[in-house]
Structure formats: C-alpha cells, structure tokens
Amino acid sequence: MKKVFSLILLLLCCCSFSSLKTIRYKTYAVAYFENLTNNFPYNYRGSCGYVSMCMLLSYYDSYLSDDVVHEYFDVNSTSDGSYLPCVNDSPGVRQDFLSNGYNCTNQEYIDMIEHNKQTSLHSYLLSLGRSYGYYFTNINGIQTYGLTLSNEEHLFERYFTSKTPFGETNSSVSIDTYSSIEYDTRKKTIDIIQSGRPVMISINGKYKHSVIAYDYDVEKDIIYCHPGYHGYNTHMDINEIGLGNVSIDYVIDLNFHNIKHTHNDNYIIFSDGSSEYYCSCSPAIGLNYLFN
C-alpha cells in the first residue's frame, strides 16, 4: 500500500511539474512583459521615459540578440530548478534602487546616476540625457527627468550608435515614431502589437506617462501595457493605471532590419550545485511562442 501511495504521489508531482513546463502565450512580448516583475528601473524623478526605454531594449536583448544590451547592464532570470525562471521574473536590467528615492535631493539623485552609469542602463541613459540638458527644475527646485518624443528618439539614436553593433550607420535598426498630430496613434499601436512587437507609448490622461504596450484584446478592444511601476500588475489596461481614460500622444517602434534571432544566455537554472544557461527560445524555459 505504501508503494502504491508513493507511486501515486510521484505521478501527481510529475503531472504537476509537466503542467508547468509549457505556458501558452500569444507572443514572446506577452510572455516577457507579463513576467517582468522586478528587473527594471525605479521611476523616482519622472524618468518613466527612461524606464520604458530600458524595458523595450531589454526585451529585444532577450528576444532578438544579447548584443542589444551590454552584459554589464544585464540581470538574468534565475531558477533553482523547482520552478520556471520566466515565471519568477523575466531577465532585464538593474534597478538603481535608492532607499530614499522618492525623497532624495537633486545632488543625491545625480550622484546615483554618476555612480551607477557604468553598470546600470537607466543611469547610463540618464547621464546621457543630462549631458543634453534633458531635465527640468520645477518651482520647488526639484529636478525631474521627463522626456519629449524628440528627446527619446535622439537618445535611442545615440545609444545605438555608441553602445551596440546595431547602429544607424549601417541601417540595421530604425527608430520609427508616430505622433498623434499626424497619425491615429491608437490604431498604429494596435497594428504594431498585432504584428508581434511591443511598442513604447506616451499616454495622456490626468498626467502624462510612458509605458510599454504589448498586448491587445480584440473582443474587448483593450490595449494592455506594462506600466513601469514596481508593485503594479504587469498586464494592465492602459485606461486603468490611475490616469483615467487616456489618449496616446505618440508611439516609438524599434525595427531591427535583416537580423534574425540569435541565442542568448539570459535565463539560468541552478540544479545540484551547477548552473545551466538558456536562451528565451529554449524548451527548458517552458514558454510556447514563435521566433522569427
């Protein structure tokens, strides 16, 4: 009887484990951003545009090529072998955490940027933005780091020409922008998402905010986004993140031309004292989606 019970328990465990081994998602973008719960920067000083840039770049680093984000900016997704690393947290970039982040002085924030810019993509981009004067001092003397469309386009261009092999000089990547002045930006966002790519969008409601839009429900006509806030749902209706009903001011879409998926090592599984590195497309990660 004991052997029978043990056998039943073993079968139940195997069934439970195998049920975890494949999680069905429409695209890797949905898989990635739904599970991006920790490995992205904090928005202390209105740096939501920088946070979105980091999330979009780290997505392509895992989806397309490990060269999109330098290794010293990377944070891997890890697992002890008893669960899937992707469910724990998608790979991404360092946080730039400050214990007094929301109440820090201007100089404390600048010191954080300069101290971390060699190891943090967020701080690197903030330092680059500061060098171009992309910050604003409000009436209380507090420096904030909101960005305009032209600011973000310029920073992406500078990033790709200086930090990756995918520079504008060889036309391997284009930074396509769509403003509400010229385009139906909601339709453009939906079209790009349905083609399988996430996009960076600037939304306008009670105030302006930058998010990554990556999923669309056709029946409910809902665009879902990662809001770029820690502790929030990572799969949110853009109209339910606290800004009321929003409009989309502009869209930024990164296109990597003639570049096919190459394997990366952004997922790590630790087991029996050893570690194995896996690409996001590996069956060991347990996601079900298609790569180009």
Side-chain angles (χ1 to χ4, degrees), residues 60-287:
Y60 279 109
D61 190 68
S62 283
Y63 172 72
L64 185 66
S65 167
D66 216 8
D67 288 328
V68 175
V69 175
H70 275 266
E71 293 297 313
Y72 44 76
F73 294 151
D74 276 352
V75 176
N76 296 102
S77 177
T78 61
S79 164
D80 65 4
S82 62
Y83 58 89
L84 301 176
C86 59
V87 174
N88 177 44
D89 193 13
S90 293
V93 297
R94 301 182 192 281
Q95 292 180 341
D96 277 350
F97 177 75
L98 280 172
S99 58
N100 65 334
Y102 296 103
N103 299 304
C104 66
T105 66
N106 291 339
Q107 192 57 53
E108 285 173 332
Y109 196 71
I110 293 168
D111 289 345
M112 179 208 75
I113 292 171
E114 293 307 304
H115 178 74
N116 294 329
K117 66 182 181 181
Q118 298 299 324
T119 56
S120 159
L121 179 58
H122 184 238
S123 282
Y124 169 79
L125 291 171
L126 279 164
S127 181
L128 188 61
R130 279 190 61 82
S131 72
Y132 292 113
Y134 296 163
Y135 58 91
F136 173 77
T137 304
N138 65 24
I139 58 174
N140 297 315
I142 303 298
Q143 288 182 357
T144 58
Y145 291 84
L147 295 169
T148 65
L149 172 58
S150 61
N151 294 162
E152 289 165 354
E153 186 176 16
H154 182 217
L155 287 174
F156 269 128
E157 288 172 352
R158 293 293 300 124
Y159 177 78
F160 283 118
T161 53
S162 63
K163 282 291 179 184
T164 77
F166 307 120
E168 287 284 282
T169 51
N170 60 16
S171 301
S172 58
V173 61
S174 62
I175 303 142
D176 299 327
T177 62
Y178 307 94
S179 168
S180 59
I181 297 172
E182 302 175 88
Y183 297 92
D184 180 343
T185 48
R186 191 175 192 279
K187 182 180 184 304
K188 180 61 70 172
T189 298
I190 292 168
D191 288 347
I192 297 171
I193 291 172
Q194 289 185 315
S195 74
R197 296 192 309 280
V199 288
M200 179 174 164
I201 61 173
S202 175
I203 55 179
N204 195 348
K206 294 178 181 177
Y207 54 88
K208 294 186 178 184
H209 186 49
S210 178
V211 301
I212 299 297
Y214 65 89
D215 192 15
Y216 176 65
D217 188 313
V218 177
E219 293 182 2
K220 297 179 180 178
D221 189 27
I222 295 174
I223 297 172
Y224 290 98
C225 73
H226 189 302
Y229 293 137
H230 285 265
Y232 277 59
N233 185 348
T234 56
H235 187 257
M236 296 191 74
D237 179 341
I238 61 171
N239 291 312
E240 294 184 355
I241 64 175
L243 280 69
N245 288 331
V246 302
S247 58
I248 299 174
D249 283 346
Y250 60 81
V251 180
I252 298 181
D253 178 28
L254 298 184
N255 274 284
F256 294 80
H257 303 291
N258 303 314
I259 301 171
K260 294 188 179 296
H261 169 76
T262 55
H263 296 318
N264 60 66
D265 58 357
N266 291 347
Y267 292 85
I268 308 173
I269 297 178
F270 297 99
S271 181
D272 297 326
S274 63
S275 58
E276 296 289 340
Y277 291 78
Y278 295 95
C279 179
S280 51
C281 69
S282 170
I285 303 305
L287 300 174

Side-chain angles (χ1 to χ4, degrees), residues 24-55:
R24 295 187 178 276
Y25 291 98
K26 285 187 267 186
T27 62
Y28 179 61
V30 176
Y32 180 84
F33 286 106
E34 274 196 18
N35 293 296
L36 185 61
T37 56
N38 194 53
N39 294 327
F40 62 97
Y42 278 87
N43 171 15
Y44 295 127
R45 290 293 190 93
S47 68
C48 57
Y50 290 97
V51 172
S52 289
M53 290 177 71
C54 290
M55 292 195 294

